[in-house]
Amino acid sequence: DDFLPPNHPLNLNEMLQNPTEYVLPLGHPDFAEMMTIETLNLPSISVYFNHPNATESFVAGHALPPGHVSVTDRLEDFLPPNHPWNLDKMLQNPSDYKLPLGHPDFSSMMKEENLRLPKIS
């Protein structure tokens, strides 16, 4: 927000996700000149071989199933400082949240393995 002119709309994610509603004014600076590419230290989390695509599930509004392991516990060490902290709450109510533009694909952090299913009695 510090670099925006005083009369600039503040919700940049909303603007970038709806480019037809927000036409750039003549002479607007080129976005490419303002962007830096950072290498993210993304985790690699083992999941069952048939685990659903997590990003597609989130975007479709599918909540985590009851009893799902805590995603917050597994990812808290990798979250940037300004990231909403309670991932489990977000994933249990995905329709209440929208991924910001450029958010890493959840599935890129998941490594499918032939894990043993827990015994259910």
Side-chain angles (χ1 to χ4, degrees), residues 2-121:
D2 296 338
F3 62 90
L4 297 176
N7 61 343
H8 196 285
L10 290 179
N11 194 339
L12 300 181
N13 280 332
E14 173 72 23
M15 295 173 68
L16 293 171
Q17 290 172 349
N18 300 291
T20 56
E21 293 180 34
Y22 298 95
V23 178
L24 291 177
L26 192 61
H28 190 280
D30 185 347
F31 290 134
E33 294 174 11
M34 297 180 259
M35 297 169 67
T36 57
I37 306 233
E38 294 182 28
T39 303
L40 298 175
N41 181 23
L42 297 177
S44 178
I45 296 176
S46 296
V47 296
Y48 295 105
F49 71 93
N50 61 346
H51 193 284
N53 181 297
T55 301
E56 289 175 7
S57 294
F58 182 86
V59 171
H62 301 299
L64 285 180
H68 192 281
V69 297
S70 171
V71 176
T72 300
D73 290 349
R74 290 180 154 204
L75 294 178
E76 65 186 340
D77 293 339
F78 298 94
L79 298 177
N82 61 343
H83 195 286
W85 188 81
N86 193 333
L87 300 178
D88 297 317
K89 180 181 176 188
M90 295 174 72
L91 294 170
Q92 289 163 353
N93 303 289
S95 55
D96 293 346
Y97 301 93
K98 196 172 190 180
L99 288 177
L101 193 65
H103 190 282
D105 187 302
F106 299 148
S107 296
S108 68
M109 300 176 234
M110 301 165 75
K111 184 173 94 178
E112 291 186 354
E113 293 189 23
N114 232 351
L115 299 174
R116 289 186 178 177
L117 294 172
K119 290 184 180 180
I120 301 173
S121 3

